[in-house]
Amino acid sequence: MGTFMILFTFLGGITLSAQSSINGTLSRKTGTIETTFLTFATGTMFLAIFILFFGQGNILALLEAPKWQLSAAFLGTLYLLLTVIAVPRIGVIATNIAGIIGQLVIGIVIDNFGWFNSLVIPLDTKRAFSLLFMIIALYFIYKGNKRSREEIPVQHR
Amino acid sequence: MRYFAYILALLAGAALSFEGAIYGELGKTIGQLETSFYNFFMGSIIMGLLWIFFGKGKLSHTAEAPKWSLLGGLLGVVYLTSIVISVPFVGVGITMVAVIIGQMVMSMIIEHYGWLGSKKLKINKEKIFAVISMIIALVLVN
């Protein structure tokens, strides 16, 4: 079961990168805000169907949930909007790797202080080294992208 | 302008981390699938408002765009759902590693072949080094 789940999540990662390139393409003609809006609107429709059939929670409890928990929706929207802006400018892989690094860095910070009731995992040498490798990765992706561009001189935009 | 896009992508990831931590809490009270629904529902409202006031593009282009380019929303749902289902089985750490590796490998393939309308940018030594550094970073975090 475990291996199957790992493969399933791997597939989740694949769909996320496919989503960022598809949205980047659509935004060139439809516009940034319009593309993000469409993604949320269609996602809502699909999830509405899923909830009707498979929902086990209580959607009405939303009204009683603390407001700070509800504010996360702004962050989710920000994520998608910024991704749609970045992909046409720096490409799929640079956007995704930079996004992952931002995610891991903040993840390490949240763990260190135990914000939002999460487990407290202090920043140790191992994690400090991992931050270093992320910076190295970001440097390489920037270099690599610059070189790919120079090899194909005629590029739109 | 290009540096700026890198900063935006970093910020996007940072937002995703905060979101994940907060939604973990919300999921406990209202349910996982319901949390995803809430995220997309609120996102539609926020983006709907932004579109009304600041939209400069052409929403009507949707009708002419190739149908595959409209699948972004469904893919986002697949992503969220796969995470929600697998965390209880294998834990957050392994889930994130599997997701990120899937994301990096697929980005590289998409960009190398210029699939899904993305710019065709060849894989080179530097990009492979970047992915290797990321894998080392992931192993060290866990």
Side-chain angles (χ1 to χ4, degrees):
Chain A
M1 196 63 189
T3 339
F4 174 73
M5 279 300 157
I6 292 170
L7 277 176
F8 188 53
T9 349
F10 183 73
L11 194 81
I14 289 176
T15 59
L16 197 60
S17 63
Q19 183 199 42
S20 51
S21 51
I22 287 180
N23 278 352
T25 305
L26 185 64
S27 75
R28 253 175 247 148
K29 283 198 179 140
T30 316
T32 312
I33 293 179
E34 288 75 7
T35 301
T36 316
F37 172 65
L38 271 172
T39 308
F40 277 112
T42 49
T44 308
M45 294 175 205
F46 282 113
L47 273 165
I49 298 173
F50 288 165
I51 285 199
L52 282 176
F53 285 97
F54 307 110
Q56 281 151 1
N58 179 13
I59 191 85
L60 294 175
L62 260 181
L63 301 172
E64 285 128 45
K67 299 295 173 239
W68 66 269
Q69 290 181 1
L70 300 182
S71 66
F74 291 96
L75 299 168
T77 313
L78 191 66
Y79 164 75
L80 206 61
L81 188 61
L82 294 179
T83 313
V84 174
I85 296 173
V87 167
R89 292 181 172 77
I90 56 175
V92 185
I93 182 156
T95 305
N96 277 317
I97 290 202
I100 291 165
I101 292 172
Q103 202 179 336
L104 287 174
V105 170
I106 297 299
I108 288 175
V109 173
I110 293 178
D111 276 353
N112 186 51
F113 295 107
W115 290 340
F116 314 116
N117 297 337
S118 69
L119 221 61
V120 180
I121 305 170
L123 173 65
D124 54 2
T125 357
K126 255 178 70 189
R127 290 197 157 196
F129 268 109
S130 121
L131 288 175
L132 183 71
F133 275 105
M134 287 179 217
I135 296 167
I136 296 173
L138 200 58
Y139 169 78
F140 273 126
I141 200 69
Y142 178 72
K143 274 272 169 209
N145 251 1
K146 232 172 102 184
R147 209 156 69 97
S148 308
R149 277 217 173 74
E150 280 155 10
E151 279 161 6
I152 326 162
V154 189
Q155 277 287 353
H156 40 89
R157 213 189 273 262
Chain B
M1 187 58 209
R2 195 156 290 150
Y3 286 110
F4 189 60
Y6 280 90
I7 293 168
L8 290 185
L10 280 168
L11 278 177
L16 200 60
S17 241
F18 278 118
E19 185 201 343
I22 298 172
Y23 276 156
E25 286 297 303
L26 185 62
K28 283 180 201 159
T29 36
I30 69 165
Q32 311 283 11
L33 211 52
E34 285 75 9
T35 302
S36 302
F37 174 76
Y38 166 73
N39 179 53
F40 278 89
F41 182 72
M42 269 298 274
S44 308
I45 296 176
I46 297 168
M47 289 318 297
L49 282 172
L50 279 180
W51 172 63
I52 289 170
F53 288 105
F54 304 108
K56 291 195 199 81
K58 250 182 91 198
L59 197 57
S60 59
H61 174 75
T62 318
E64 300 133 43
K67 296 300 169 218
W68 60 263
S69 69
L70 305 178
L71 286 175
L74 179 63
L75 294 174
V77 173
V78 173
Y79 162 74
L80 258 177
T81 313
S82 74
I83 288 187
V84 166
I85 294 175
S86 99
V87 167
F89 286 97
V90 293
V92 182
I94 294 176
T95 303
M96 287 327 286
V97 171
V99 164
I100 291 172
I101 292 175
Q103 203 180 339
M104 286 194 302
V105 171
M106 194 59 189
S107 309
M108 216 172 234
I109 297 172
I110 289 176
E111 204 164 89
H112 182 73
Y113 293 106
W115 283 348
L116 304 172
S118 69
K119 251 187 255 178
K120 194 170 172 174
L121 293 170
K122 281 248 160 18
I123 290 179
N124 50 32
K125 269 203 313 284
E126 285 87 348
K127 286 184 192 173
I128 307 248
F129 282 142
V131 171
I132 293 171
S133 312
M134 280 308 293
I135 291 172
I136 297 173
L138 279 173
V139 171
L140 286 172
V141 163
N142 280 286

